[in-house]
Amino acid sequence: DMATIRLIETLESITQLNPRQFITDWNPLDYLKGREVIIIETNSTYSAISSGISDDGALLVECEKNNKKLKKKIYSADVSVKPLIQKKI
């Protein structure tokens, strides 16, 4: 079907991109950027704010530890996205 063909074409075009160009193109489309996420690692779970992806593909987050703000790269973890709460009118 057309959706499958379109998906395959998109994936093929992505593989042709320079990784830095992909990240540049991706950042304005990043749904998670600025959203609260829960990071679940082997020995810890914590809340953070997603701030994009790094040049090497890691998820960038900002969090607090011992009242100190940290910027971290997440290479491997479960990431849960907090749902947006929509106000009823």
Side-chain angles (χ1 to χ4, degrees):
D1 71 9
M2 285 304 294
T4 302
I5 292 169
R6 180 98 174 150
L7 176 62
I8 291 169
E9 289 172 349
T10 301
L11 291 173
E12 286 175 346
S13 68
I14 288 170
T15 62
Q16 302 301 315
L17 288 176
N18 171 313
R20 289 186 194 274
Q21 184 62 47
F22 174 77
I23 291 167
T24 299
D25 292 348
W26 175 259
N27 277 327
L29 306 172
D30 189 350
Y31 175 75
L32 292 180
K33 196 170 189 174
R35 302 247 341 248
E36 185 175 2
V37 295
I38 303 298
I39 308 297
I40 305 163
E41 296 177 323
T42 303
N43 296 319
S44 65
T45 298
Y46 54 93
S47 178
I49 301 296
S50 173
S51 58
I53 58 174
S54 68
D55 288 346
D56 59 1
L59 174 65
L60 299 172
V61 297
E62 297 174 5
C63 59
E64 281 191 32
K65 186 174 184 179
N66 299 325
N67 293 323
K68 186 176 181 181
K69 291 191 180 224
L70 301 173
K71 291 185 179 185
K72 292 182 72 174
K73 288 183 174 184
I74 306 298
Y75 291 98
S76 176
D78 288 328
V79 179
S80 176
V81 180
K82 291 260 190 162
L84 290 174
I85 299 173
Q86 296 181 355
K87 294 181 181 179
K88 292 184 180 180
I89 299 176

